[in-house]
Amino acid sequence: MNKAGKYALGALAAGAVAYGVHELIDGGLSEDDKKPNRKRMEEKEKVRREQEARMRREDEERKRREDHEKWRRNEEEKRRQDLVFQSQQFPSQHQPQTFQSQQFHSQQYHSQPPGSAIPKPMHTPYGSVYGSVYNGGDGTFRRRSESITSSSHSHMDDGIFHPPAPFGHAPYTYNQKDVRNPDPSRSSENSVTPETYPELRQNPSDTKIKIGTVLSLKHMLTGRFLHSDRSHSTQSGSNQQLVYANKWTTGEADWWQVVPANGDVPVPGSIVAYGTQIRLRHVDTGRHLHSHYGFVDPLTGQNEVTCFGDQTLSDENDHWVLERWGDGAYGSTVRSTDTLVLRHYVSGMTLHSHDVLLREDVQSVTCFGSGRDDNNKWRIVLES
């Protein structure tokens, strides 16, 4: 055989070997043998997609924080301009220097002559609650009661705490026949409030309550925790998700997240002050602690308390005002070591429970009374 023939025969042999190896590695494998390879490829693709999704979420969160900071700077500038205008239009001789008034006591508001230039309530890092915003001196913005002048106890002359009327509202009567309806302009519709806030599961040694804090509420007299779940609905006509006091230890359905009132845009992690309007979002179901007129607890006749809506559906009946038991403590920091009262903003009544059982381990929770009853006492519990 000549040299060219030998080269051709060698090339054919090499090709045959390569083809055989290829068949052995790929084509020679059965379908069952190929499945692990495909599974590994699918897992790698899944990991890649998850990484991309996580990066997108981080970018969105970064942008949202930048938007929060931009909003805060703009509001600071607006507040400064409004204060200049206010000092020219409504000078006050009795204002403490640290008290920057944005709103007026309800009596002052109604005593202004028709056509007077009344500054509009301004949404700041804390909800427009009872009155003005002042800088607490520690980097937090807090709210001060409308009825407070130079003394934080000016509305406690009889030794009993009397919450001031909400700005522009008549004084509270705590009468269920004095029906007060939510303001439709303070709902989630077209609200600037972000739909979600980062959950803060803080160590119990950090007692300051913040926007985003996840907490549970323990009823002081009975020791049961505020609870809700999808398996219980009210039997009084609203057919909303029932809120009740359940076990003496916390479970998955006992956790609530502190989120801002509709229309407010605080920076995540902002410290919450007494007198602030907030919402409590049920972590397990995403609905908000809610009360209303028109439907009552069947055993007590008191306004029912439910879980309502979701992250995109919320109204003013989801707004609650945080008060410290006994003195309100408006303007000071809410702490988990305090005994609380949660006042429903629209009705003025307070979150209430008692030893009335709807059935076993379903202790009635209602909205009732002025907040002076021991059955209105709650304690915050943080995750250990």
Side-chain angles (χ1 to χ4, degrees):
M1 181 180 295
N2 60 23
K3 187 178 292 186
K6 289 181 181 180
Y7 283 136
L9 185 59
L12 287 173
V17 170
Y19 177 78
V21 170
H22 172 75
E23 286 295 305
L24 180 62
I25 294 175
D26 188 17
L29 294 176
S30 66
E31 287 299 317
D32 290 339
D33 293 331
K34 291 179 181 179
K35 287 180 180 179
N37 290 335
R38 284 198 295 267
K39 186 176 181 180
R40 283 194 295 271
M41 294 298 294
E42 290 171 357
E43 289 175 351
K44 289 181 180 179
E45 178 64 18
K46 181 180 178 181
V47 170
R48 186 188 64 79
R49 289 196 299 267
E50 290 175 349
Q51 289 175 342
E52 290 180 350
R54 184 169 62 253
M55 293 176 64
R56 284 196 300 271
R57 288 195 299 269
E58 290 174 353
D59 289 341
E60 291 171 357
E61 178 66 17
R62 189 181 306 108
K63 185 177 183 305
R64 189 164 65 81
R65 287 180 178 273
E66 290 173 354
D67 291 342
H68 272 303
E69 181 62 21
K70 185 183 298 183
W71 174 88
R72 187 187 65 78
R73 289 195 297 266
N74 290 339
E75 287 300 304
E76 286 291 332
E77 179 60 23
K78 289 178 185 177
R79 180 159 49 251
R80 188 189 64 78
Q81 295 174 1
D82 286 346
L83 289 174
V84 172
F85 168 79
Q86 246 181 260
S87 64
Q88 296 171 350
Q89 298 293 324
F90 304 99
S92 173
Q93 299 177 353
H94 304 289
Q95 265 187 339
Q97 291 184 352
T98 57
F99 180 53
Q100 306 296 332
S101 177
Q102 294 294 335
Q103 299 177 352
F104 294 83
H105 187 278
S106 57
Q107 293 179 354
Q108 293 174 320
Y109 178 89
H110 292 298
S111 66
Q112 297 295 329
S116 296
I118 303 296
K120 296 180 180 180
M122 182 171 60
H123 295 290
T124 62
Y126 288 106
S128 45
V129 190
Y130 294 120
S132 309
V133 177
Y134 73 102
N135 192 321
D138 57 359
T140 63
F141 283 94
R142 299 173 177 173
R143 290 216 159 258
R144 189 158 185 151
S145 165
E146 289 172 350
S147 61
I148 294 175
T149 54
S150 60
S151 170
S152 61
H153 300 284
S154 60
H155 56 297
M156 295 178 62
D157 51 354
D158 61 356
I160 300 175
F161 171 66
H162 298 282
F167 178 70
H169 289 202
Y172 289 135
T173 62
Y174 314 112
N175 183 347
Q176 289 177 301
K177 294 181 181 179
D178 178 21
V179 175
R180 304 187 179 202
N181 295 313
D183 180 353
S185 69
R186 297 196 67 202
S187 69
S188 56
E189 185 177 0
N190 299 321
S191 173
V192 295
T193 307
E195 293 177 358
T196 60
Y197 269 76
E199 293 184 1
L200 300 181
R201 298 179 180 269
Q202 62 204 63
N203 190 292
S205 62
D206 179 7
T207 62
K208 294 180 180 180
I209 303 305
K210 307 173 181 68
I211 294 295
T213 293
V214 174
L215 52 81
S216 58
L217 287 170
K218 183 177 183 178
H219 187 241
M220 295 293 289
L221 282 191
T222 64
R224 294 178 186 263
F225 284 90
L226 192 70
H227 178 99
S228 189
D229 55 67
R230 291 186 176 87
S231 61
H232 291 81
S233 299
T234 63
Q235 298 179 358
S236 53
S238 71
N239 199 36
Q240 293 178 359
Q241 185 173 300
L242 182 67
V243 170
Y244 57 99
N246 189 224
K247 303 288 186 180
W248 293 275
T249 56
T250 54
E252 290 183 4
D254 299 328
W255 297 103
W256 307 78
Q257 185 190 19
V258 178
V259 295
N262 290 306
D264 295 327
V265 192
V267 175
S270 300
I271 296 172
V272 178
Y274 285 111
T276 303
Q277 284 185 102
I278 62 161
R279 291 176 293 162
L280 287 174
R281 180 173 292 161
H282 190 235
V283 173
D284 192 44
T285 63
R287 296 175 176 173
H288 299 98
L289 187 68
H290 179 94
S291 187
H292 44 222
Y293 285 101
F295 300 103
V296 297
D297 177 84
L299 293 182
T300 65
Q302 299 166 1
N303 285 348
E304 71 177 13
V305 174
T306 65
C307 261
F308 170 77
D310 54 36
Q311 294 175 347
T312 61
L313 177 62
S314 173
D315 64 24
E316 198 179 33
N317 273 330
D318 300 336
H319 291 191
W320 299 83
V321 179
L322 295 176
E323 298 173 357
R324 190 168 66 190
W325 166 261
D327 63 359
Y330 291 143
S332 62
T333 299
V334 180
R335 295 182 179 274
S336 60
T337 52
D338 297 336
T339 300
L340 303 182
V341 170
L342 286 87
R343 188 175 303 280
H344 187 240
Y345 178 72
V346 173
S347 69
M349 300 181 192
T350 54
L351 189 67
H352 179 95
S353 192
H354 33 224
D355 56 5
V356 176
L357 295 181
L358 304 179
R359 46 192 173 277
E360 185 179 1
D361 286 332
V362 181
Q363 179 177 299
S364 168
V365 171
T366 65
C367 195
F368 175 72
S370 64
R372 301 175 190 170
D373 191 317
D374 284 345
N375 277 316
N376 305 132
K377 293 180 178 180
W378 299 85
R379 174 64 63 83
I380 290 174
V381 174
L382 301 174
E383 289 184 293
S384 57

